[in-house]
């Protein structure tokens, strides 16, 4: 698998659009182009099955909107994406359009590529590379800076990641999920403002190769697969205090493939997956309110990280 086996040197020659402008730390554009868009298809029902016996579906209750008083561009917050080719994009869920922001130039070791990403309330991305190094990246300019994070703290070498509000904002926490296929510690942990990692607990039931996304109302979710159910994958609701999976919904016919990421925006989940050896990423929307899984569009690069501010719309 490309994301988890960390193949280096993947280079696609396609260039998509120009860097977009913004008013603050979050990228906001009035126009979006869909050069890589594929036809929209009808949705399908996600609620036909669950993975682990005894687990309920993920909680789909409508949450109160977040406290946005400290949020730049709070009413137009976007999803941000990073690819194996180091390209940072924004993605606007209502139109399913991408905008290229720029190519990040982090001082990584030779051959290291992006592995996962999260975005905080101010629109600053944290990107972990395949060498375990964590960087700080502007979502407006793609400028990259190093951090004081020490790789392999408590055995966490590579990990999925996502921010979730502590309650309803403005305080938030960066959560990480250890990667099972990279000699890394497993389970749930958090990283504080001083870049110190704090283990929380193992995922129960056990899940593998998880990416994380959180919400402004304090929920945390994981996106993961199971080789016994391929091509299906799952979204699980995570107890932030223990790592226990308290709810789970099966994503029928959504295979994570060679690279994957996901994000919560406006009451829906957006899944970015790369079918094996296709060297593109497909975008799928899961709508908990009616149980539909809808293919939206695609991008001719492999997306391995997605991040969205906890200022993003909840409903």
């Amino acid at each position: 698998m490309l994301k988890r086996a960390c193949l280096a040197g993947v280079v696609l020659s396609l260039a998509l659009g120009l860097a977009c402008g913004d008013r603050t730390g979050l990228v906001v554009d009035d126009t979006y182009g869909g050069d890589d868009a594929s036809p929209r298809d009808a949705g399908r029902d996600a609620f036909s099955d669950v993975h682990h016996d005894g687990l309920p579906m993920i909680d789909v209750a409508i949450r109160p909107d977040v406290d946005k008083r400290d949020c730049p561009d709070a009413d137009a917050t976007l999803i941000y994406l990073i690819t194996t080719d180091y390209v940072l994009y924004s993605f606007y869920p209502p139109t399913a359009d991408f905008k290229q922001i720029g190519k990040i130039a982090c001082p990584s070791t030779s051959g290291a590529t992006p592995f996962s990403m999260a975005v905080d309330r101010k629109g600053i991305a944290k990107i972990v590379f395949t060498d375990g190094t964590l960087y700080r990246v502007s979502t407006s300019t793609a400028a990259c800076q190093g951090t004081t994070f020490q790789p392999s703290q408590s055995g966490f070498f590579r990990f999925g990641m996502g921010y979730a509000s502590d309650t309803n904002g403005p305080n938030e926490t960066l959560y990480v999920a250890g990667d099972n296929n990279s000699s890394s510690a497993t389970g749930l942990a958090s990283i504080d403002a001083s870049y110190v990692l704090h283990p929380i607990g193992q995922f129960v039931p056990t899940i593998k190769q998880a990416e994380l996304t959180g919400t402004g109302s304090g929920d945390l979710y994981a996106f993961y697969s199971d080789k016994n159910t391929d091509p299906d994958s799952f979204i699980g609701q995570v107890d932030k205090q223990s790592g226990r999976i308290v709810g789970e919904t099966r994503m029928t016919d959504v295979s994570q493939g060679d690279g994957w990421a996901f994000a919560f925006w406006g009451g829906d989940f957006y899944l970015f997956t790369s079918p094996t050896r296709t060297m593109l990423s497909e975008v799928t929307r899961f709508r908990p309110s009616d149980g539909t899984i809808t293919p939206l569009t695609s991008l001719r690069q492999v997306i391995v990280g997605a991040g969205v501010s906890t200022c993003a719309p909840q409903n």
Side-chain angles (χ1 to χ4, degrees):
M1 290 186 178
L2 180 61
K3 180 170 183 179
R4 301 312 186 194
C6 310
L7 298 179
V10 179
V11 179
L12 301 180
S13 60
L14 181 65
L16 299 170
L18 299 175
C20 58
D22 70 316
R23 294 174 305 201
T24 68
L26 298 184
V27 177
V28 179
D29 250 22
D30 293 327
T31 59
Y32 277 76
D35 293 342
D36 288 290
S38 60
R40 273 62 168 167
D41 297 321
R44 55 183 180 270
D45 186 6
F47 287 174
S48 59
D49 199 6
V50 293
H51 180 204
H52 297 104
D53 290 342
L55 281 180
M57 299 291 182
I58 61 174
D59 187 357
V60 297
I62 295 176
R63 308 296 190 196
D65 215 353
V66 300
D67 183 347
K68 296 182 179 180
R69 287 174 292 182
D70 67 325
C71 298
D73 299 328
D75 292 331
T77 306
L78 308 175
I79 296 173
Y80 297 94
L81 309 168
I82 190 67
T83 74
T84 53
D85 289 334
Y86 310 92
V87 182
L88 183 67
Y89 287 90
S90 63
F91 177 79
Y92 186 50
T95 59
D97 289 326
F98 299 92
K99 267 293 186 179
Q100 182 173 317
I101 299 170
K103 196 166 187 176
I104 64 174
C106 299
S108 58
T109 57
S110 177
T113 58
F115 187 78
S116 184
M117 180 173 73
V119 174
D120 69 16
R121 287 174 73 86
K122 301 300 183 182
I124 300 299
K126 304 299 193 308
I127 300 178
V128 64
F129 272 49
T130 54
D131 62 0
T133 308
L134 186 65
Y135 296 97
R136 185 178 186 273
V137 176
S138 167
T139 58
S140 61
T141 66
C144 181
Q145 296 177 331
T147 70
T148 59
F149 180 79
Q150 297 297 311
S152 296
Q153 292 181 54
S154 299
F156 281 75
F157 179 48
R158 300 187 189 110
F159 40 79
M161 54 202 305
Y163 279 94
S165 287
D166 295 341
T167 52
N168 197 41
N171 296 326
E172 62 183 358
T173 298
L174 176 60
Y175 293 94
V176 301
D179 179 63
N180 302 68
N181 282 5
S182 63
S183 300
S184 174
T186 59
L188 183 69
S190 64
I191 297 176
D192 66 24
S194 298
Y195 297 105
V196 176
L197 185 143
H198 304 275
I200 295 173
Q202 292 296 314
F203 293 115
V204 180
T206 300
I207 63 174
K208 295 183 178 181
Q209 301 177 330
E211 276 289 4
L212 300 177
T213 192
T215 72
S217 55
D219 295 309
L220 182 66
Y221 298 94
F223 176 47
Y224 47 93
S225 64
D226 185 326
K227 66 180 181 180
N228 295 321
T229 60
D230 191 69
D232 297 351
S233 53
F234 303 87
I235 294 177
Q237 191 165 0
V238 182
D239 184 326
K240 297 182 298 184
Q241 306 302 315
S242 67
R244 180 172 292 276
I245 307 302
V246 297
E248 184 178 69
T249 300
R250 188 168 185 161
M251 300 291 103
T252 305
D253 294 330
V254 179
S255 175
Q256 289 183 323
D258 288 338
W260 55 93
F262 86 135
F264 179 89
W265 194 99
D268 300 329
F269 293 94
Y270 291 83
L271 315 176
F272 305 90
T273 59
S274 180
T276 304
R277 292 185 292 278
T278 61
M279 303 311 295
L280 63 79
S281 289
E282 298 177 350
V283 185
T284 304
R285 184 190 67 212
F286 167 52
R287 176 159 287 169
S289 62
D290 60 14
T292 55
I293 299 175
T294 306
L296 297 178
T297 186
S298 63
L299 181 73
R300 288 189 290 273
Q301 290 197 39
V302 178
I303 296 167
V304 291
V308 61
S309 165
T310 56
C311 293
Q314 300 295 289
N315 305 304

